[in-house]
Amino acid sequence: IYKCFHSFSPSRSQKHSMTTAGVGRQRWNDYDSPEEFNFASDVLDYWAQMEEEGKRGPGPALWWVNSQGDEIKWSFQELRNLTCRVANVLEKTCGLQQGDHLALILPRVPEWWLVSVGCIRTGIIFMPGTIQLKAKDILYRLQASQAKAIVTTGSLVPEVDSVASECPALKTKLVVSDHSYDGWLNFQSLIKSASPHHTCIKSKMKDPMAIFFTSGTTGYPKMAKHNQGLAFRSSVPSCRKMLNLKTSDIIWCTSDPGWILTTIGGMIKPWTSGATVFIHQLPQPDPKVIVEVLFKYPITQSLAVPAVYRMILQQKITKVQFSSENPIIILWFPTLEHCSTGGESLLPEEYEQWKLRTGLPIHEFYGQSEVGICCAVFRGMKIKRGSIGKAILPFDIQIIDEKGNILPPNTEGYLGIRIKPTRPPGLFMEYENSPEKTAEVECGDFYNSGDRATVDEDGYFWFLGRDDDIINASGYRIGPAEVENALVEHPAVAESAVVSSPDPTRGEVVKAFIVLTPEFLSHDKEELTKELQQHVKSVTAPYKYPRKVEFVPELPKTVTGKIKRKELRMKEFSQKRSATNP
Ligand code: BCO
């Protein structure tokens, strides 16, 4: 049942005959908001039905590979069968019910997609997390969400077991592994014996579907709760225009499944259009492997954060292929037609370099864990280099001041999304258990994203960055407090201030200014830097570790003793500017 190998790769002639029609095109318009919606029954099962009726091409719905040559291809019918089994395991074996919380911490394996859809079938709220999470991060997530279940991989079993006793709500632990672990249910064995028949819940559009943890300026990550609207949005014409996916398309989203980008770009969007989701296991996202994969597989669309395209451009490419039409192109990916990016800024010169080398433009989009993808350069739309494109309907995006007043074109302000009189489907519902944090981002009639931007007369938005302490390093949103809390656990650290610092590859990186405790003042600074970096990697998700460290005698503070992070940040960026413009 589990590993079904099929030969699905469509020939070019078949590809051309495939439909561009999909779920929603015939059924909903941009401003519709049906009372009931369920991504599993309205989208997945629709395409399974289309396959049964011979109305969809032969491409798989999910195509997974790894570097060892293993491969899994599932059709929509197989996905329906497998996700119904998962739904039965969650409900019958684990006793979970609609509204329960399930932490989903898996690498890029097909089971991530099975569990997500299994949860949607049952109304269980799934909470994706990156496998870089450490015991303390997991403890926080399990406690804050009162999760009743966790699905994870073998390597994280010890981390979870070390904190499980402090999580009384946690009743079920499921492991995706070839091995068995004491106190853990084995996902694969349970799926094999589960029934493939399951009746999907009739979910209301307003029923919660998923929670994404997102870092804030202070404290622990907030829980951005989304309802079925997150999935529904991709069915409306304006949203579908962004990638204009066809059933013959094969899209590869390189993001880790712990982030909302994978939920949207690596699942909801492609499946809404009946396209193929391509997944490479990428245990370490190596640009060499990414290039090899783009040469080897018939991928038509790529979706990755700018840092990934940047890392590819910085590679010494050995596999050069010249195109007869354009002799200067040195990265001629045979099937790639469309590239998109978001999560951090793409510089105009990076856009130019990619276009020059591959012959393909990169289409930018803008999003957050709170809003999904709300603004984009649609396929076929005129590209203004450096712009994140136009608002995707039904989102009404305006540039606002801190009171929620709409600002005129070409004026800097906050990127705001209208929530009154109607909150659009696809915008998060609230921060779970935190009405005060939810209220903080409501600004007049708008949700205030906290991101600074402008809009021009043509309706193109221009992202300028944040004016708070949040760091966006290679597409990761990092709150300074998360890193400072990790640093202060080390005996060498008296206090620290963590800020963003410019970087040619990652856009920004985490920089820590550290005041040492007296005992460590005489220690070798290079050694200490490595030790502190290793320390942060061991106590919290390693992507947050400070790639730059500076030891200082004291930190700049206000009269009330608050650290002036802004001053430190401004210094970092002004140093970059003076280095570029001497
Ligand atoms: O650079 P180092 O080698 O020193 O450290 C790396 C890893 O080696 C290390 N690490 C990873 N797992 C570890 C570990 N160390 C100890 N134990 C472990 N278990 O930690 C560092 C992690 O840094 P990284 O993740 O940036 O690694 P890398 O290989 O440099 O990857 C580069 C990128 C670009 C692939 C990566 O940064 C990335 O995936 N960025 C994208 C994040 C993303 O998808 N963001 C989207 C968020 S959703 C959104 O923005 C809303 C838009 C709709």
Side-chain angles (χ1 to χ4, degrees):
I1 306 161
Y2 203 61
K3 291 201 174 181
C4 320
F5 300 98
H6 293 273
S7 177
F8 268 110
S9 296
S11 69
R12 280 210 173 256
S13 58
Q14 278 171 318
K15 280 174 77 173
H16 289 300
S17 66
M18 283 178 198
T19 173
T20 57
V23 179
R25 177 150 292 198
Q26 322 84 321
R27 294 167 65 186
W28 292 295
N29 72 45
D30 285 331
Y31 293 94
D32 276 346
S33 183
E35 179 78 9
E36 286 181 354
F37 183 80
N38 186 288
F39 179 69
S41 56
D42 283 309
V43 173
L44 227 83
D45 297 350
Y46 166 87
W47 284 114
Q49 181 70 33
M50 290 294 105
E51 280 178 354
E52 267 168 21
E53 293 173 16
K55 292 182 182 158
R56 183 182 174 267
L62 181 146
W63 183 359
W64 175 90
V65 298
N66 65 13
S67 294
Q68 289 74 54
D70 299 319
E71 185 172 62
I72 289 176
K73 285 179 175 178
W74 287 327
S75 66
F76 279 102
Q77 291 170 80
E78 285 166 316
L79 269 178
R80 179 178 57 192
N81 175 311
L82 288 164
T83 56
C84 281
R85 288 171 187 267
V86 175
N88 282 322
V89 167
L90 297 176
E91 276 181 350
K92 298 207 169 89
T93 318
C94 306
L96 297 167
Q97 293 175 356
Q98 181 168 9
D100 287 343
H101 291 165
L102 177 147
L104 177 56
I105 310 176
L106 285 177
R108 297 166 178 90
V109 289
E111 289 80 358
W112 185 90
W113 281 257
L114 297 186
V115 177
S116 303
V117 178
C119 284
I120 295 173
R121 287 196 184 283
T122 51
I124 294 162
I125 302 165
F126 65 103
M127 306 185 300
T130 165
I131 48 150
Q132 288 196 29
L133 296 177
K134 298 286 173 196
K136 270 194 178 170
D137 307 310
I138 296 172
L139 174 65
Y140 164 69
R141 280 155 200 254
L142 295 176
Q143 286 184 337
S145 65
Q146 292 290 297
K148 288 208 176 145
I150 185 165
V151 182
T152 194
T153 181
S155 63
L156 280 178
V157 162
E159 304 273 347
V160 176
D161 279 343
S162 70
V163 297
S165 62
E166 296 168 65
C167 308
L170 187 68
K171 299 285 180 243
T172 304
K173 296 183 293 180
L174 278 158
V175 63
V176 175
S177 170
D178 294 336
H179 305 285
S180 55
Y181 294 86
D182 268 359
W184 288 76
L185 298 170
N186 187 284
F187 183 81
Q188 284 98 325
S189 328
L190 290 172
I191 298 305
K192 276 188 198 139
S193 53
S195 160
H197 304 292
H198 179 267
T199 307
C200 184
I201 57 155
K202 277 200 173 306
S203 51
K204 300 258 182 292
M205 182 86 121
K206 292 191 173 147
D207 286 342
M209 185 183 89
I211 287 177
F212 300 91
F213 285 78
T214 180
S215 295
T217 39
T218 54
Y220 289 103
K222 300 177 276 187
M223 295 192 279
K225 182 159 81 174
H226 278 271
N227 57 28
Q228 289 283 338
L230 180 70
F232 169 75
R233 280 198 69 219
S234 290
S235 295
V236 306
S238 170
C239 208
R240 292 165 57 83
K241 260 194 343 211
M242 177 186 152
L243 300 176
N244 202 12
L245 285 158
K246 306 178 289 299
T247 51
S248 55
D249 271 311
I250 300 174
I251 181 168
W252 184 24
C253 170
T254 59
S255 201
D256 179 292
W259 311 115
I260 195 169
L261 198 50
T262 296
T263 303
I264 299 173
M267 182 169 79
I268 294 172
K269 274 185 182 294
W271 284 349
T272 298
S273 297
T276 299
V277 167
F278 181 87
I279 308 148
H280 189 287
Q281 192 169 17
L282 283 180
Q284 291 287 327
D286 178 346
K288 280 199 199 83
V289 175
I290 296 176
V291 169
E292 290 289 338
V293 170
L294 286 170
F295 273 111
K296 185 169 173 191
Y297 295 96
I299 293 159
T300 58
Q301 294 214 17
S302 66
L303 202 159
V305 294
V308 168
Y309 294 107
R310 224 175 271 136
M311 285 173 173
I312 294 176
L313 287 173
Q314 288 167 3
Q315 286 293 298
K316 211 169 156 244
I317 304 295
T318 45
K319 205 165 183 170
V320 175
Q321 265 185 256
F322 289 96
S323 141
S324 52
E325 293 146 43
N326 190 344
I328 60 162
I329 288 175
I330 59 165
L331 263 176
W332 186 254
F333 298 119
T335 51
L336 196 62
E337 292 170 1
H338 187 78
C339 308
S340 15
T341 200
E344 48 142 342
S345 294
L346 178 81
L347 298 177
E349 55 269 30
E350 291 159 358
Y351 169 92
E352 287 301 344
Q353 275 300 314
W354 185 264
K355 180 126 194 271
L356 195 71
R357 300 250 202 118
T358 65
L360 296 167
I362 303 184
H363 297 70
E364 277 196 75
F365 58 82
Y366 164 84
Q368 285 185 333
S369 297
E370 288 87 341
V371 307
I373 296 175
C374 63
C375 193
V377 179
F378 301 109
R379 193 166 182 178
M381 177 169 135
K382 179 185 163 195
I383 295 177
K384 294 193 186 186
R385 272 165 305 156
S387 163
I388 51 174
K390 295 189 178 187
I392 304 176
L393 297 177
F395 283 2
D396 173 9
I397 303 184
Q398 302 288 344
I399 301 299
I400 55 167
D401 66 16
E402 58 286 346
K403 293 199 179 97
N405 299 307
I406 297 175
L407 298 173
N410 304 313
T411 311
E412 182 181 335
Y414 291 103
L415 190 144
I417 297 174
R418 188 180 289 284
I419 49 172
K420 287 178 193 160
T422 315
R423 201 176 178 95
L427 188 65
F428 79 123
M429 305 164 73
E430 59 180 2
Y431 296 118
E432 178 86 335
N433 301 333
S434 192
E436 52 310 325
K437 296 247 181 219
T438 307
E440 270 171 29
V441 296
E442 286 176 6
C443 183
D445 291 346
F446 292 89
Y447 157 73
N448 184 349
S449 68
D451 286 324
R452 304 289 287 170
T454 61
V455 62
D456 67 18
E457 289 81 359
D458 300 328
Y460 281 73
F461 286 86
W462 304 77
F463 176 84
L464 299 173
R466 294 193 71 90
D467 68 351
D468 60 15
D469 296 331
I470 288 178
I471 303 156
N472 189 338
S474 60
Y476 293 122
R477 182 168 153 157
I478 301 164
E482 297 167 47
V483 187
E484 289 163 8
N485 288 343
L487 278 168
V488 84
E489 283 182 32
H490 192 282
V493 179
E495 60 176 347
S496 71
V498 164
V499 299
S500 158
S501 180
D503 181 80
T505 305
R506 293 163 193 275
E508 295 173 23
V509 290
V510 172
K511 174 160 181 180
F513 289 87
I514 294 173
V515 178
L516 288 174
T517 49
E519 307 80 75
F520 283 83
L521 283 173
S522 57
H523 280 229
D524 180 85
K525 298 294 176 292
E526 217 169 292
E527 284 302 310
L528 205 49
T529 298
K530 284 191 196 131
E531 190 177 322
L532 289 168
Q533 289 175 325
Q534 208 43 51
H535 164 76
V536 174
K537 282 185 180 181
S538 70
V539 297
T540 192
Y543 68 83
K544 299 180 205 166
Y545 87 90
R547 287 176 190 270
K548 293 185 188 172
V549 173
E550 188 175 330
F551 297 102
V552 289
E554 58 183 2
L555 297 171
K557 289 186 183 163
T558 62
V559 280
T560 55
K562 248 182 102 188
I563 295 170
K564 292 183 187 167
R565 289 201 196 90
K566 189 170 178 180
E567 193 176 291
L568 293 168
R569 186 172 68 242
M570 302 275 274
K571 218 173 87 192
E572 289 303 300
F573 284 86
S574 66
Q575 273 167 8
K576 183 199 171 194
R577 265 193 297 280
S578 51
T580 349
N581 306 311

